[in-house]
Amino acid sequence: MDDKQYHPSNSGEMQSSTPVQDERAVFRKRVLKIGGAVTLVLVGLFTLPIPFGSLKIIGSDKVTVQDVMVAGDIHEPVNILQISTEKLKTRLAKDLRVEEAQISYQLPFTMVVRVIERKAVAVVPAQFGYLTLDSKGQVIASEPAIQDTSVPMISGVKAGNILLGDTVVDKPILAALEYLNSLDESTFKNIAEVNIGDPDAIMAYTVSGVQIRLGDSKDLPKKAELTQSMLQDIKTTHSNVQYIDVNVSSPYIKTDVIPEVKKHQPGTKNTEDSSTKKDDKKQDKQGHVEDKR
């Protein structure tokens, strides 16, 4: 009795709080069910062979979706959630056609692999054929005969026994690549050959046969810049050029000297005509004397 008087509101509070507690319990159960279902779905997507999303390759006509799947050890059905992007980029970098791979995502569920292809910069003769080199000197193709005629030839040296995928270490070859890499696209297409037979007297040749004297392997980016401007000058002036020297301290263009032809001006005597006339007079005089006799 004393307890009821001392705590008159206990029973009322317990009765009024019960519905709220029930609602909270129901909400918790719903959250747990939803969370459990989502967890099961995610576990299934990340572990089970369930198709999810698609692959898209851009930036290359040579590298296909099948190539990317092989490189990334990706199996059918494709599930982009199970693809390790870092692993895929590392494996694609080992493909001699691929310089770099960039991975992004596109809505709704597409993995986009952007492939930056290795570009051929030069062809160099080797022990058993010809090697195609990229900008860093890596061998990206090896053929018994020249296949790619759109890039310059590095002559005057042989690369030796270098295999596909190796990187050349010969300094003269690397110097030639540095020069070619420093040219803009238009000038690069105009270079047919770089001769490194004498590392202190490197020479390049345009497709039209103009010789470019580079000297040694110093300041090659500056020499490439001079090459561009001087070849542009030749194109503008239509000069008949023997060679150009891209010495940084004193560059110059050597042109053919055409002898100047003097034009005959009215009112002046022509030496050839006057001498001919004098001979005619002599002949007339001699003929006249002979008639008198």
Side-chain angles (χ1 to χ4, degrees):
M1 187 72 180
D2 292 339
D3 291 338
K4 290 181 180 180
Q5 291 178 352
Y6 189 73
H7 300 289
S9 63
N10 282 352
S11 60
E13 288 180 358
M14 291 179 65
Q15 290 176 0
S16 61
S17 63
T18 300
V20 175
Q21 290 177 349
D22 290 343
E23 288 179 3
R24 289 177 179 173
V26 171
F27 178 74
R28 288 194 193 98
K29 288 180 180 179
R30 288 179 180 174
V31 170
L32 288 174
K33 287 181 179 180
I34 294 172
V38 171
T39 301
L40 288 174
V41 170
L42 290 176
V43 169
L45 288 174
F46 279 97
T47 58
L48 299 177
I50 299 174
F52 185 80
S54 60
L55 281 172
K56 181 179 179 182
I57 312 301
I58 60 174
S60 174
D61 296 329
K62 300 176 182 178
V63 181
T64 65
V65 172
Q66 188 63 34
D67 294 331
V68 173
M69 291 180 65
V70 171
D73 195 22
I74 303 168
H75 304 284
E76 295 282 1
V78 175
N79 186 329
I80 62 174
L81 296 178
Q82 297 175 4
I83 300 174
S84 170
T85 57
E86 292 302 319
K87 183 179 179 181
L88 178 58
K89 286 193 286 187
T90 300
R91 290 192 172 185
L92 282 174
K94 296 179 181 179
D95 190 322
L96 293 178
R97 298 169 297 176
V98 180
E99 183 173 345
E100 184 184 355
Q102 301 171 349
I103 299 176
S104 59
Y105 293 92
Q106 192 178 80
L107 294 176
F109 307 109
T110 303
M111 174 181 281
V112 180
V113 181
R114 181 180 182 84
V115 175
I116 301 174
E117 293 182 344
R118 294 184 190 274
K119 292 183 178 181
V121 173
V123 174
V124 61
Q127 187 174 356
F128 301 107
Y130 294 87
L131 307 177
T132 302
L133 308 179
D134 70 355
S135 60
K136 298 177 182 177
Q138 186 173 16
V139 180
I140 59 176
S142 178
E143 303 290 345
I146 298 177
Q147 300 293 327
D148 191 352
T149 58
S150 64
V151 296
M153 162 78 75
I154 297 178
S155 61
V157 69
K158 282 192 175 182
N161 189 18
I162 299 179
L163 303 177
L164 193 65
D166 291 346
T167 301
V168 297
V169 294
D170 296 347
K171 290 183 177 179
I173 296 177
L174 295 177
L177 291 175
E178 182 183 4
Y179 171 72
L180 293 172
N181 287 329
S182 301
L183 298 171
D184 60 23
E185 185 176 358
S186 176
T187 309
F188 174 81
K189 291 180 179 179
N190 197 23
I191 301 299
E193 179 185 349
V194 179
N195 187 292
I196 54 174
D198 184 350
D200 294 323
I202 301 172
M203 290 183 291
Y205 297 89
T206 67
V207 293
S208 61
V210 176
Q211 185 187 85
I212 306 167
R213 299 185 177 183
L214 301 173
D216 58 25
S217 58
K218 296 178 181 178
D219 300 319
L220 287 173
K222 292 182 180 179
K223 292 175 180 178
E225 185 176 352
L226 283 170
T227 301
Q228 293 167 187
S229 61
M230 294 170 81
L231 289 179
Q232 186 61 39
D233 289 343
I234 294 171
K235 184 177 179 180
T236 303
T237 59
H238 304 284
S239 302
N240 191 10
V241 177
Q242 290 185 0
Y243 64 86
I244 65 174
D245 192 315
V246 292
N247 187 308
V248 175
S249 59
S250 57
Y252 64 92
I253 299 175
K254 175 65 174 177
T255 59
D256 289 334
V257 178
I258 302 175
E260 184 179 356
V261 178
K262 295 183 179 180
K263 295 182 179 180
H264 176 67
Q265 299 294 332
T268 60
K269 292 184 179 181
N270 187 298
T271 306
E272 183 180 355
D273 292 342
S274 60
S275 62
T276 305
K277 288 179 180 179
K278 288 179 181 179
D279 292 339
D280 292 341
K281 288 180 181 179
K282 289 180 181 178
Q283 290 175 3
D284 291 342
K285 187 175 180 180
Q286 289 175 355
H288 181 68
V289 172
E290 289 175 356
D291 289 343
K292 282 186 178 181
R293 289 181 183 178

